[in-house]
C-alpha cells in the first residue's frame, strides 16, 4: 500500500479536526479527497507529509512510519500545497535547480520535469511573469523532481481558467498511470474527470469511500424537465420509481428516480397525458454531487 491511515485523530485545543480516520490507497490510483471547508482535508494532508503530527493513530507512506521515518516519507512524497509557495524573482530553471540540489538529483531530471509538465515554452521566464496555470505547473514540476511514488495535491486546480484546467487535469491523469495521486478539490467535475476513487470527509470523519465506477453505475438518475406552466410536485411524485422532486426555478423541475432505466419516456408520457408542453428534457448523472450534498449538508 502507498498510503495506510489507521485511527488518525488530530485535536487543536478543544477542537477535533480529525476523528478516528482510517483508509488505504494503492498504487497506481488517483483518489479525490472531498469535503466542505473546515472538514479536515488540509490537516490530513499535512499529516501525510509530516508537516504536523497526529494526536492519535498510525500512518505509513510507502511503508515508512510518519513519526519514525520522516526523512524517508519526505523523499517518497511530492507535495503541492493549496497556496503554492514559489520564489517569484527566480527563473523557472533557477528555482528547480535550487530544489534539485536539495534532493541531489541530476540536471537531466530538471529538463525531464520541465518537459513532462509542459513548461518548456516558459522555462526561460521568471516565475513572477507566469500565469496562474503555469505557476501550478512549476509547483507540480517541483513536486515531481525527486521522482516520488506518491503525489499529494491540495486544491491543484483552484483559480485556473477552463483551458488551464484541461491541461492540468490531463497532466495529473498521466502522472496517475504510474504513481499514487491523493488530491483534494471542491470541484466535482474535476473529481469525475480525473479520479478512480473518492473519499468524502465531513466534520473530521469519513462519510463515504467509493470507486467512481460504482457511482457511475449507481441505480439513480436525475431528469431535468421544463414544462410550459407550473405543475404541483404531488403529481410528479406519482411517476414510477420517483425518489424526489425539486422545482429549481420557474417551470423547471429536477426529478430523481431510483433506477438505472432511462425514465425520460415516462416524463414525456406524463406531459402528453396532462396536455403539457415540454420545453426541455435532459438526463444528468448527478450521483457524486448528490452524494456529497447528502452527506455534508448537516
Amino acid at each position: 500500500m502507498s498510503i495506510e491511515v489507521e485511527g488518525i485523530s488530530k485535536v487543536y485545543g478543544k477542537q477535533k479536526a480529525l476523528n478516528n480516520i482510517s483508509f488505504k490507497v494503492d498504487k497506481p490510483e488517483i483518489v479525490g479527497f472531498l469535503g466542505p471547508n473546515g472538514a479536515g482535508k488540509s490537516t490530513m494532508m499535512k499529516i501525510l507529509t509530516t508537516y504536523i503530527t497526529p494526536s492519535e493513530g498510525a500512518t505509513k507512506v510507502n511503508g515508512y512510519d510518519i513519526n519514525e521515518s520522516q526523512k524517508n516519507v519526505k523523499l517518497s512524497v511530492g507535495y503541492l500545497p493549496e497556496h503554492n509557495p514559489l520564489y517569484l524573482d527566480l527563473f523557472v530553471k533557477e528555482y528547480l535547480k535550487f530544489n534539485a540540489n536539495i534532493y541531489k538529483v541530476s540536471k537531466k531530471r530538471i529538463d525531464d520535469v520541465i518537459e513532462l509538465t509542459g513548461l518548456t515554452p516558459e522555462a526561460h521566464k521568471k516565475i513572477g511573469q507566469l500565469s496562474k496555470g503555469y505557476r501550478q505547473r512549476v509547483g507540480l514540476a517541483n513536486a515531481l523532481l525527486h521522482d516520488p511514488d506518491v503525489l499529494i495535491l491540495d486544491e491543484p486546480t483552484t483559480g485556473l481558467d477552463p483551458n488551464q484546467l484541461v491541461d492540468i487535469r490531463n497532466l495529473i491523469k498521466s502522472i496517475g498511470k504510474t504513481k499514487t495521486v491523493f488530491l483534494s478539490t471542491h470541484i466535482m467535475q474535476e473529481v469525475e474527470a480525473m479520479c478512480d476513487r473518492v473519499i468524502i470527509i465531513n466534520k473530521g470523519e469519513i462519510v463515504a469511500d467509493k470507486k467512481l465506477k460504482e457511482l457511475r453505475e449507481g441505480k439513480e438518475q436525475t431528469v431535468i424537465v421544463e414544462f410550459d406552466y407550473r405543475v404541483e410536485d404531488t403529481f410528479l411524485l406519482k411517476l414510477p420509481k420517483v425518489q424526489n422532486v425539486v422545482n429549481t426555478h420557474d417551470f423547471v423541475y429536477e426529478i430523481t428516480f431510483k433506477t438505472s432505466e432511462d425514465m425520460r419516456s415516462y416524463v414525456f408520457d406524463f406531459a402528453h397525458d396532462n396536455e403539457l408542453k415540454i420545453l426541455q428534457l435532459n438526463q444528468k448523472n448527478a450521483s457524486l454531487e448528490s452524494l456529497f450534498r447528502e452527506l455534508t449538508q448537516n
Side-chain angles (χ1 to χ4, degrees), residues 20 206 221 259 268 280:
N20 197 28
I206 290 178
Q221 65 179 285
T259 177
F268 182 86
Q280 67 162 310

Side-chain angles (χ1 to χ4, degrees), residues 49-60:
T49 53
T50 75
Y51 277 80
I52 61 175
T53 57
S55 304
E56 297 176 9
T59 297
K60 290 183 178 180

Side-chain angles (χ1 to χ4, degrees), residues 7-25:
I8 286 293
S9 295
K10 180 62 179 179
V11 179
Y12 295 103
K14 295 182 179 180
Q15 181 183 359
K16 205 162 196 177
L18 295 173
N19 184 22
N20 197 28
I21 294 278
S22 297
F23 62 87
K24 294 180 180 180
V25 181

Side-chain angles (χ1 to χ4, degrees), residues 98-279:
F98 170 78
N99 286 288
N101 288 335
I102 295 173
Y103 285 110
K104 295 181 173 60
V105 299
S106 67
K107 181 181 181 297
K108 182 181 182 303
R109 182 59 185 167
I110 298 173
D111 295 331
D112 289 343
V113 295
I114 285 175
E115 182 178 352
L116 176 65
T117 55
L119 275 169
T120 304
E122 307 292 308
H124 64 286
K125 292 183 179 180
K126 286 189 175 183
I127 294 172
Q129 296 175 298
L130 302 181
S131 67
K132 169 73 172 177
Y134 275 105
R135 291 186 191 187
Q136 286 297 83
R137 291 171 191 253
V138 173
L140 276 172
N142 186 53
L144 290 165
L145 259 179
H146 55 301
D147 197 21
D149 290 321
V150 177
L151 268 183
I152 297 178
L153 312 176
D154 197 352
E155 302 285 352
T157 58
T158 297
L160 303 185
D161 67 34
N163 292 329
Q164 294 168 342
L165 277 174
V166 172
D167 290 342
I168 296 296
R169 177 199 301 164
N170 290 338
L171 174 58
I172 292 171
K173 286 174 68 176
S174 176
I175 294 168
K177 292 178 182 178
T178 58
K179 299 181 183 296
T180 297
V181 180
F182 189 73
L183 67 90
S184 75
T185 180
H186 287 95
I187 307 171
M188 298 297 145
Q189 298 94 321
E190 293 306 297
V191 175
E192 291 185 309
M194 287 189 291
C195 297
D196 306 306
R197 173 179 156 206
V198 59
I199 298 174
I200 300 177
I201 184 174
N202 188 42
K203 297 179 180 177
E205 298 183 354
I206 290 178
V207 292
D209 185 347
K210 292 181 177 290
K211 295 280 188 180
L212 262 294
K213 184 179 179 181
E214 295 174 3
L215 288 173
R216 294 188 187 104
E217 296 173 351
K219 294 184 178 298
E220 182 179 300
Q221 65 179 285
T222 299
V223 172
I224 303 172
V225 59
E226 182 179 5
F227 299 113
D228 58 337
Y229 64 85
R230 188 173 299 280
V231 179
E232 292 294 329
D233 292 1
T234 51
F235 291 109
L236 293 171
L237 285 167
K238 293 178 182 179
L239 286 164
K241 302 175 183 176
V242 70
Q243 186 177 6
N244 188 37
V245 174
V246 177
N247 179 205
T248 57
H249 62 280
D250 300 328
F251 307 145
V252 180
Y253 298 81
E254 289 194 1
I255 309 171
T256 303
F257 295 92
K258 196 70 174 179
T259 177
S260 57
E261 179 187 358
D262 190 340
M263 299 300 288
R264 286 175 292 183
S265 61
Y266 290 89
V267 177
F268 182 86
D269 291 342
F270 169 85
H272 177 268
D273 294 343
N274 290 277
E275 299 182 347
L276 295 166
K277 289 182 180 179
I278 291 180
L279 304 182

Side-chain angles (χ1 to χ4, degrees), residues 1-4 24-27 29 60-63 180:
M1 287 290 169
S2 293
I3 299 174
E4 298 176 72
K24 294 180 180 180
V25 181
D26 214 340
K27 175 187 177 180
E29 190 174 22
K60 290 183 178 180
V61 178
N62 285 323
T180 297

